[in-house]
Amino acid sequence: MRVAVLGAGAWGTTVAGVLAQSADVALWCRRGELAEEVAATRENSRYLPGVELPDRILATPDVAVALGGASLVVLAVPLQQLRSRLAAWRPEFPDVPVVNLAKGVETATGQFGTEVVQDVLRDRQVLALSGPNLAAEIARGQPAATVVAGSDAAVATAVATAFTTPQFHAHAVTDVVGVDVAGAFKNVVALAVGMVEGAGLGANARAAVLTLGLSEMAALGGRLGARPETFLGLAGAGDLVATSTSTLSRNHRVGLALGEGLPLADAVGRAGGTAEGVATAPALLRRDADLPFVRDVVAVLAGERSPVAAVSRLLSAT
């Protein structure tokens, strides 16, 4: 089996390492110097310092080389860049299943990740991988579980099998909508939970905000046709807890900084990397206006309300 992983950030590189335990992996790197570093040192020092990458990973800056002969393609591109990247790459794409790792909502269209991929690639089987999956832990061999969601149960099962290792356990599901909703919404909740912690509002407020976020996530999913059980599973509550409570989460770190009083630009800069919740929150409101939890988070991001005032409003809405 040969897999192409397009995107060599922390999560893309981690997934390449997982897949390389049972397959040959071509890892597309946006920067040629990163591909050279991985080839020479077996390390991605910027995103995964100290993690040795398997020899079965071929790093390349040439997307045609990465896609050549692939029987599975994994997209590890930030969501807001996904459409433009795919449009450029489409002529090179083989007719094989495509797994999207990006979580969020496209600001221009209000589409979730798998919807963007399907919109551009049209006739491919598009799946989503999501769960409580902090890259730094998985890259170092710590145990984790995830779900692979696809509308075709047989394809989802085959892809989940390809991802499964003794440390990383992938489970096939068919609720693609629910997994997309959960993957996007949990980043917004992580911002809010981080605000609670940064402002020093205590464990009770943190638990309440986390629970209210899960409730609104499930309500949105229900309106879009998702299954209720998805939001109590790995892609829902599991990913929500991991992203909202770990300092490894960029969304959580941005929320912490906002809670401490930093303006948004400074909070994002301190967190480092892409915090998808910042773009996802206002995009979710454009998709569905009946999201009071999200509306309060957006007000903080826009500088219209303090984190303390936003949390007070969230708690009073119960």
Side-chain angles (χ1 to χ4, degrees):
M1 185 178 184
R2 190 170 191 273
V3 183
V5 177
L6 305 184
W11 190 216
T13 305
T14 296
V15 166
V18 169
L19 290 164
Q21 295 187 42
S22 59
D24 294 323
V25 177
L27 177 63
W28 175 77
C29 307
R30 180 175 57 86
R31 295 180 295 111
E33 56 269 30
L34 176 57
E36 293 173 2
E37 178 193 36
V38 172
T41 68
R42 311 314 304 168
E43 182 183 3
N44 184 338
S45 62
R46 178 176 179 182
Y47 294 106
L48 289 176
V51 175
E52 184 177 356
L53 300 175
D55 290 337
R56 294 183 77 173
I57 295 177
L58 167 68
T60 176
D62 188 332
V63 74
V65 170
L67 291 171
S71 52
L72 177 68
V73 178
V74 178
L75 298 171
V77 177
L79 186 62
Q80 306 308 325
Q81 302 173 21
L82 189 56
R83 183 179 299 274
S84 60
R85 291 285 186 190
L86 285 174
W89 293 339
R90 194 180 192 285
E92 310 289 346
F93 254 80
D95 187 13
V96 300
V98 179
V99 180
N100 176 54
L101 304 184
K103 301 172 183 178
V105 180
E106 188 179 42
T107 57
T109 65
Q111 290 184 324
F112 295 107
T114 59
E115 293 174 327
V116 173
V117 180
Q118 198 74 68
D119 198 26
V120 178
L121 297 184
R122 298 292 180 185
D123 53 352
R124 308 304 197 283
Q125 286 273 355
V126 181
L127 305 96
L129 183 145
S130 190
N133 301 152
L134 297 165
E137 293 185 0
I138 295 168
R140 288 168 172 79
Q142 292 182 281
T146 196
V147 298
V148 173
S151 57
D152 186 312
V155 173
T157 298
V159 173
T161 299
F163 275 92
T164 296
T165 74
Q167 296 79 33
F168 190 68
H169 307 276
H171 305 274
V173 300
T174 55
D175 185 12
V176 181
V177 173
V179 170
D180 264 345
V181 170
F185 209 105
K186 58 95 181 185
N187 286 329
V188 180
V189 180
L191 290 171
V193 173
M195 292 175 201
V196 170
E197 294 185 14
L201 301 180
N204 291 329
R206 180 179 60 190
V209 167
L210 190 74
T211 305
L212 291 168
L214 177 59
S215 177
E216 188 163 292
M217 173 199 294
L220 172 61
R223 293 195 291 273
L224 295 177
R227 297 173 190 161
E229 60 268 25
T230 296
F231 302 102
L232 296 178
L234 291 169
D239 198 6
L240 179 67
V241 170
T243 306
S244 297
T245 61
S246 173
T247 55
L248 294 174
S249 159
R250 288 190 295 270
N251 290 282
H252 179 73
R253 294 202 298 270
V254 169
L256 277 172
L258 290 170
E260 293 170 6
L262 269 66
L264 178 59
D266 293 341
V268 171
R270 192 173 85 176
T274 302
E276 286 287 2
V278 174
T280 293
L284 275 171
L285 283 183
R286 286 193 286 275
R287 175 106 184 201
D288 189 320
D290 186 20
L291 297 170
F293 184 102
V294 178
R295 192 178 306 116
D296 277 317
V297 173
V298 169
V300 176
L301 297 176
E304 298 168 354
R305 189 169 296 135
S306 73
V308 173
V311 171
S312 178
R313 282 172 58 91
L314 287 173
L315 299 186
S316 66
T318 60

